[in-house]
Amino acid sequence: MQMADAAHPISHAAVPHGDAHGHGHHPNLEHHFDSLTQQFDAGKLGMWLFLATEVLLFGGLFCAYAIFRRNHPEVFMYAHQYLDTTWGAINTVVLLVSSFTMAWAVTASQRGQRNLTSLLLALTFLGGVGFMVIKAIEYQHKFHDGLMWGTHYDPSKHGHGHGEGHGAAAHGAAAAAGHAAAGDGRGGAAESHAAGAAASAGAAGDHGASAAHPEATTSVHAPETPGQGASAAAADADVPPERAPLEPSQVALAPSGPAGLHVGGHDLHGPRPDNVHWFFGVYFTMTGLHGLHVLAGMAVIGWLFVRSVRGDFSADYFTPVDLGGLYWHLVDLIWIFLFPLLYLIH
Amino acid sequence: MSHGSHSSGHAGGHGVGHIVPVGLQFGILMLLLVLTYITVAARWIDLGPLNIWIAMLIATIKAAFVVLYFMHLRYDRPFNSIIFIGSLLFVALFVCLALADTVTNKPRMWTGLAPAVAETQKHSDP
Amino acid sequence: MSSLNPAAAGPLVGAPATDNYLTHSRGFWSWAATLDHKRIGVMYLVGIFTMFLVGGLFAVLLRSVLLTPDAAAGGVKTIVDANMYNRFFTLHGAVMVFIVIIPGIPAALGNFVLPLMLGAKDVAFPRLNLCSFYLWLIGTGMALSSLYWGGVDTGWTFYTPYSTKVGSSGAFGGVVPVVAGAFVLGFSSIFTGLNFIVTIHKLRPPGMTWFRMPLFLWGTYATAVIQVLATPVLGITLLLLLAERLLGIGFFDSELGGDPVLFQHFFWFYSHPAVYIMILPAMGVMSELISVFSHKHIFGYKFIAFSSVAIAILGFLVWGHHMFTSGQSELLGVIFSAITFSIAIPSAVKMFNWLTTLYKGSIDFKAPMCYALSFMWIFGIGGLTGLFLGMMGLDQHLHDTYFVVAHFHYVMAGTIFVFFGAIHYWWPKMTGRMYDEGSAVLASILMFIGFNLTFFVQFMMGTRGMPRRYYEYRPEFQMGHVISSIGSYVMLAAVLLLIYTMIRSLRSGRPAPANPWGAGSMEWQCASPPPHDNFKTPPPVVDAYDYESLEWDERVGGYVHRGRRGGPAAAH
């Protein structure tokens, strides 16, 4: 390939300036673009890049979901039953329909159909409103029933049967429950290891003194009475196979450790595993972040509606509608995945 | 300067963007609603661990229709598709490796606190 | 008569070209609400350099604290206790990483240079560009406000459970403003990256194919790709951290059955690619500096271009090498270790290409070149010591020691040295003034000496077991610490000399010609400083590294293209 030098440049830029020629400066053409097509393409590319960042933002949450569910499927099996599939399905339909009205709005704006565009944008907005209303209802139920994250999880408010069975009722089958019980079964030594137990020693020693969770309504660890060892036999099954169980005299393990939130008990949905709060932590973070994006999308669509009514858009210039539509569709896309992952666990 | 695509069948103006007919969009909506119904119904059929994969498969199909037609990626520049698919690949990379870590690590984990005595450290190497 | 560059009238003219982007409009709002990428770049440069001084101040403070092994031995430790020391190193890290280096070259210089190199009038989305700047400003303000709320002492990595435990500072504490600030800064970064990708894709002039772009643009492009893909994961990580702290979500809290190592996976998935955000623009600038100041065509253009992309991609696959001692599974440790070794290859490719470019070149020891040559040594050491750390077995011993500290300062200093080099390189273009070479070169030498004094000894200290982030240490390490701290004072002097040089240049520097260095890329075809809208029509696309056609023109005091006497104005 011949090298160019200054005397023989490869190409000569003789680019007509958008505002210097022919059709005159289109009011929507920015000064640094040469044509509406270039501007439109750039806008689209920029929007897709932004959508990619949103995908990665939610991707982190999907990762957390995958990890928690893979390691503790029983939590998800148990807890998801508290979600109302009907509301979830209605919300899915609402978003799909609003996606349709949005796509139609883009087509209408491409055809220069101003009134239709405005109408469809309004309908899409209403779809968002409907979605958020249903979400609010669902959230309200959960708050009321104590179905919340972390230490806010309070099964006593569930309103279902609350068998107050002790740890043994959890059976070895609730393997997660074995976490706390296993510690008990292992050694009778009640001393907690000072170095490792900084966080949990306080809780193990005296429940009320857990400074980090003053509002805990349930104890963080199973009570350390030796009677708890009823499930000790089942607990041995939790010992990793490559280690032979050690004699209690060889090991000075703490009686219990950070195994999570053990509440115990039974209700209509079966024995309650440990750490049910994870499911609600995942649920609220994922649907909460999604809800924030729905609100942001509604703000965008509201703004588009105002501009459409004002007559800003035409067959030549509909880019904002197109780009806003892409954002709304992404919000829909995320829900398409959230719905089965959260509501439709068998 | 710009090698802009010229739309097909766009009446006048600068030829920006292909127009998706409303009829097609409506058809896609119907398809999506049907698939939603199938997803919900499938939940009542017990296929064990396959359930989640089937649900994900149907969700992916729905997503594909939304992306291809509602977001008209089908008629758009290929590079935009590369961006979108690329982002999904990176999410998959993240999920897979992080999952691999916890999956391979979990069986090795003791429950409860670390052993208090130094000799037991010898037993912790698998 | 050449009109675009009044300096063409000769070096007697006392001021830079009139009616340039600086004089185009006046007043506070003409800057605060500007859409001109050049003004935004200048604002970023001032802001980032200021914050570099702030971060550096924390560093000098903490190095002073480390002059004595413990409080009993006196020294600064009598005034600064351990808690305050923890806050110093945390803010030093957070400021330098999130506020200075990650925005660094792309924001402060890329914004200015990118459209000029493309012969374009602006970036693709000027309003988004301004938005990025304000996000940077807001994020910086939020992070600094943490000082009011009690400061942060978690280290810049915010590891859980320490960062999520509420402790004595309450749920809010200093952690929340810093984390929220970092979140906002992340979006500034994302939008900048987005803007650059679209600009490079859509606003290239006719004839400038991908492989005719200057290599700085390849570096910037690869950086932008990482910014767009990795930063959102930081966003979600910080959001989850805030949720954990403020709402008690419980993902990372082992008391609630969560997993602190999960936080590390999340954090490093961004933060490792982030270090490539830091280095790739610097490598891009290196290609420019080495080539221009050797007056020789860059060697292996395509290799360098592809290696930028390779580094960007591989950078996503190695995050676990920060977690070898965290309880990660061995399988993953092996995978990450192996890929970490492979990432050295594209970096080495670049280093060899630059060396080969230097070979038989006509080397000009101007200040930018001094910084570029410093980079070769500094990044060479930094990169090689990364290999030590990439070995799982050796890392068990070296993790969280001063060896790591020395390693990452060497590689990051690679960026900072090139940042300074780039400032000197584009200074005439941005300000229309030349600076005094003598004092600039002296500053660069002082900086080099000071840096190596500070950090080379830390490798030794690390292998001998000096842990990082420690307030007190065993007395046998004191000699190393003292040498290191003296080095930091030398660096401080160097930075002060640099500032002095630049201020003097602004006041009384010689007016700059359009092309003082004889470089071939497009930004040197417009006047110094450039006019408000850059180019009426873009200059012809030529090979950016072809110096045969450039010759020194005494009347102009700079280089012009042969056959186009009278300055670049004639080309239009």
Side-chain angles (χ1 to χ4, degrees), chain B residues 79 90 93-94 97 101 104-105, chain C residues 201 229 265 316 327 329 332:
Chain B
F79 188 67
F90 275 95
L93 172 75
F94 183 37
L97 281 175
D101 183 35
T104 48
N105 237 357
Chain C
H201 269 277
L229 286 175
H265 276 296
F316 277 95
S329 71
L332 245 62

Side-chain angles (χ1 to χ4, degrees), chain A residues 15-148:
Chain A
V15 181
H17 214 55
D19 56 357
H21 291 249
H23 49 266
H25 188 198
H26 193 287
N28 296 112
L29 182 66
E30 305 266 339
H31 79 286
H32 55 286
F33 286 113
D34 292 302
S35 71
L36 280 179
T37 310
Q38 186 194 37
Q39 183 175 296
F40 177 75
D41 276 345
K44 272 257 175 165
L45 177 58
M47 195 56 185
W48 277 104
L49 285 167
F50 181 66
L51 296 184
T53 66
E54 295 282 26
V55 167
L56 281 155
L57 190 76
F58 278 92
L61 288 178
F62 282 102
C63 180
Y65 175 96
I67 289 175
F68 280 120
R69 182 163 169 178
R70 175 65 174 79
N71 289 335
H72 299 279
E74 71 283 353
V75 169
F76 283 70
M77 295 298 159
Y78 170 85
H80 90 279
Q81 297 171 88
Y82 284 100
L83 295 184
D84 190 338
T85 311
T86 314
W87 279 133
I90 293 176
N91 256 349
T92 308
V93 170
V94 165
L95 271 189
L96 286 174
V97 171
S98 78
S99 238
F100 166 68
T101 55
M102 185 71 228
W104 190 354
V106 173
T107 299
S109 69
Q110 283 177 309
R111 292 187 176 143
Q113 297 164 308
R114 190 179 122 190
N115 290 335
L116 183 58
T117 306
S118 306
L119 172 67
L120 289 165
L121 286 171
L123 286 176
T124 310
F125 185 88
L126 287 175
V129 170
F131 181 89
M132 292 311 291
V133 164
I134 295 175
K135 265 261 121 346
I137 295 173
E138 285 185 279
Y139 274 23
Q140 208 263 326
H141 279 161
K142 303 234 170 13
F143 294 160
H144 183 260
D145 287 349
L147 296 160
M148 294 178 55

Side-chain angles (χ1 to χ4, degrees), chain C residues 87-351:
Chain C
R87 283 160 176 74
F88 285 164
F89 73 66
T90 302
L91 261 186
H92 166 71
V95 165
M96 287 303 208
V97 168
F98 292 117
I99 299 177
V100 176
I101 296 202
I102 285 179
I105 294 176
L109 295 164
N111 264 316
F112 192 97
V113 171
L114 190 77
L116 290 172
M117 266 192 182
L118 292 173
K121 288 187 166 29
D122 211 314
V123 289
F125 306 119
R127 276 180 292 258
L128 191 66
N129 206 7
L130 187 65
C131 178
S132 279
F133 176 68
Y134 278 111
L135 287 175
W136 181 87
L137 215 49
I138 292 170
T140 302
M142 287 165 85
L144 288 178
S145 78
S146 68
L147 290 166
Y148 170 76
W149 295 100
V152 202
D153 58 351
T154 58
W156 80 274
T157 50
F158 305 117
Y159 273 12
T160 55
Y162 188 55
S163 58
T164 50
K165 284 300 175 209
V166 163
S168 56
S169 55
F172 200 72
V175 173
V176 171
V178 170
V179 170
F183 181 81
V184 172
L185 287 162
F187 272 93
S188 171
S189 186
I190 289 175
F191 290 150
T192 300
L194 198 156
N195 224 335
F196 284 179
I197 292 179
V198 180
T199 307
I200 292 178
H201 269 277
K202 292 294 171 196
L203 293 180
R204 269 176 294 125
M208 190 186 275
T209 61
W210 282 90
F211 292 113
R212 268 186 223 126
M213 284 200 309
L215 284 166
F216 176 59
L217 297 185
W218 273 99
T220 308
Y221 184 77
T223 308
V225 168
I226 305 180
Q227 280 175 300
V228 164
L229 286 175
T231 318
V233 180
L234 176 74
I236 193 69
T237 307
L238 296 177
L239 277 181
L240 286 177
L241 185 58
L242 287 175
E244 185 106 354
R245 192 173 169 109
L246 295 171
L247 303 173
I249 295 272
F251 286 167
F252 309 128
D253 185 353
S254 52
E255 270 199 355
L256 294 173
D259 185 5
V261 177
L262 185 61
F263 175 81
Q264 295 184 27
H265 276 296
F266 271 66
F267 182 82
W268 288 112
F269 185 81
Y270 163 73
S271 298
H272 189 82
V275 313
Y276 297 107
I277 294 176
M278 300 175 200
I279 198 66
L280 279 170
M283 289 176 159
V285 174
M286 272 294 284
S287 297
E288 305 298 320
L289 296 182
I290 293 281
S291 175
V292 167
F293 292 98
S294 323
H295 296 284
K296 190 157 166 273
H297 197 289
I298 191 79
F299 182 86
Y301 176 99
K302 280 198 176 167
F303 274 94
I304 298 183
F306 284 131
S307 67
S308 295
V309 176
I311 291 174
I313 295 175
L314 286 173
F316 277 95
L317 305 177
V318 296
W319 78 86
H321 68 220
H322 299 270
M323 298 162 59
F324 285 145
T325 61
S326 298
Q328 186 177 239
S329 71
E330 276 171 9
L331 169 69
L332 245 62
V334 169
I335 294 174
F336 284 127
S337 180
I339 304 179
T340 303
F341 275 82
S342 71
I343 207 170
I345 299 173
S347 308
V349 161
K350 287 182 192 272
M351 296 286 270

Side-chain angles (χ1 to χ4, degrees), chain C residues 66-83:
Chain C
L66 291 169
L67 281 169
T68 49
D70 53 50
V76 183
K77 280 191 165 70
T78 50
I79 323 171
V80 175
D81 68 350
N83 281 322

Side-chain angles (χ1 to χ4, degrees), chain C residues 425-444:
Chain C
Y425 179 57
W426 278 304
W427 185 262
K429 184 59 57 184
M430 292 173 81
T431 61
R433 302 246 181 211
M434 300 302 289
Y435 54 84
D436 174 43
E437 277 297 338
S439 69
V441 170
L442 177 61
S444 78

